[in-house]
Amino acid sequence: AVFSKKEGTIKYALTTMLDIEDPIEIRSLEIENLGSTEEILELFVDFVPILLEMEEENAHPSFNSMFLSIDRKEDKIIIKRV
């Protein structure tokens, strides 16, 4: 699914994809300046990985963010439970 928005001369497109083999969601954000002047934008991203079964997450939501290992490989972020 692609969600688009335009504010003034800035165009945003958020693409969301689901993996057919793994229970993951992939998001890509594209920002385009349609104007002739340079713009400075601040981007805040809130990322909450869920690495538990739904029943476990619902029973103890704060446990989900504990004991995570985060690595970066090229343009990917790899998150594992340790």
Side-chain angles (χ1 to χ4, degrees):
V2 178
F3 303 94
S4 298
K5 182 177 182 176
K6 183 180 173 192
E7 287 186 19
T9 60
I10 305 296
K11 179 181 173 185
Y12 306 91
L14 176 65
T15 304
T16 303
M17 298 171 281
L18 299 176
D19 190 295
I20 60 172
E21 296 179 9
D22 295 309
I24 62 172
E25 179 180 305
I26 301 168
R27 293 184 181 192
S28 172
L29 176 63
E30 294 182 39
I31 303 172
E32 183 179 357
N33 182 359
L34 302 173
S36 58
T37 60
E38 181 179 334
E39 299 283 346
I40 297 174
L41 305 174
E42 289 187 39
L43 180 65
F44 175 78
V45 178
D46 184 20
F47 177 72
V48 182
I50 305 296
L51 301 178
L52 300 173
E53 296 295 328
M54 186 178 293
E55 296 80 22
E56 295 170 318
E57 166 65 16
N58 291 336
H60 303 286
S62 61
F63 179 75
N64 184 57
S65 59
M66 298 172 65
F67 312 112
L68 297 180
S69 167
I70 302 173
D71 294 312
R72 183 178 179 137
K73 292 186 179 179
E74 298 174 16
D75 63 341
K76 296 173 179 58
I77 298 173
I78 310 296
I79 301 173
K80 298 178 183 176
R81 182 158 308 279
V82 292

